Amino acid sequence: MKSNKKGFTLIEMLVVLVIITMLATLVGPKLFNKLSSSQIKVAGAQIEMISSALDTYRLDVGDYPSEAQGLGALRRKPDATTRWDGPYLAKDMPLDPWGNPYHYKKPGGNGPFALYSFAKGGVKGGEGEEKDIGMF
C-alpha cells in the first residue's frame, strides 16, 4: 500500500535553513552599511531644511535667532520679535536620525550660524559613522 502523504523531510528543511543562513550572512552586512549611509543622508537633508527655515526667518525678522532663542524660534514666536511670520517649519523640530537634537550656535565658525549633529557617536568629533555632520 502506497502512502499519499506529502511534505518535506528533515534533511530538506535543514538544507533550506543553511541556504537562508548563508544568504543572510552575505547580504546582512551590506544592508547595515546602507542603513548607516542613509542616516547620514537624512541628517544632511534635515540640516538643509532647517537651514532654509533659518534663512526665511532672517528675511522676515532681520536676523537669525539668538542662541538663547534657539531653533524653537522657528516654531514659536520669540517674545521680543515683531516681524515674525512663522511657523517656519511645518512640524516640530526633528531629532537627528540617532534621536538627538540638532545643535545651533550663533555666530558659526564659518558663517552667521552653525547647525550640526554629533551623528552616531553623540559627542563632538569622531570618524567614519561617528563624524559630525552639518554647517560649522
Side-chain angles (χ1 to χ4, degrees), residues 14-99:
L14 288 173
V15 167
V16 169
L17 285 173
V18 167
I19 291 171
I20 290 172
T21 303
M22 288 173 52
L23 286 173
T25 58
L26 293 173
V27 175
K30 290 182 182 181
L31 289 177
F32 286 117
N33 285 340
K34 291 290 183 192
L35 174 65
S36 176
S37 68
S38 295
Q39 289 174 317
I40 292 168
K41 288 177 185 175
V42 166
Q46 287 178 332
I47 287 170
E48 286 296 322
M49 175 192 66
I50 297 167
S51 175
S52 178
L54 285 165
D55 289 338
T56 304
Y57 177 98
R58 182 187 61 82
L59 288 172
D60 288 347
V61 175
D63 197 7
Y64 292 102
S66 68
E67 244 182 278
Q69 292 168 330
L71 295 173
L74 298 174
R75 291 283 300 158
R76 293 174 307 283
K77 181 181 182 219
D79 292 335
T81 306
T82 56
R83 298 183 328 210
W84 191 85
D85 192 28
Y88 297 94
L89 292 174
K91 297 180 180 177
D92 286 337
M93 184 62 56
L95 297 175
D96 71 14
W98 300 274

Side-chain angles (χ1 to χ4, degrees), residues 47 96 101-105 114-119 124 132-136:
I47 287 170
D96 71 14
Y102 286 98
H103 300 276
Y104 172 75
K105 290 191 178 189
L115 180 62
Y116 54 94
S117 164
F118 288 143
K124 187 175 182 178
D132 300 345
I133 302 166
M135 306 161 70
F136 304 95

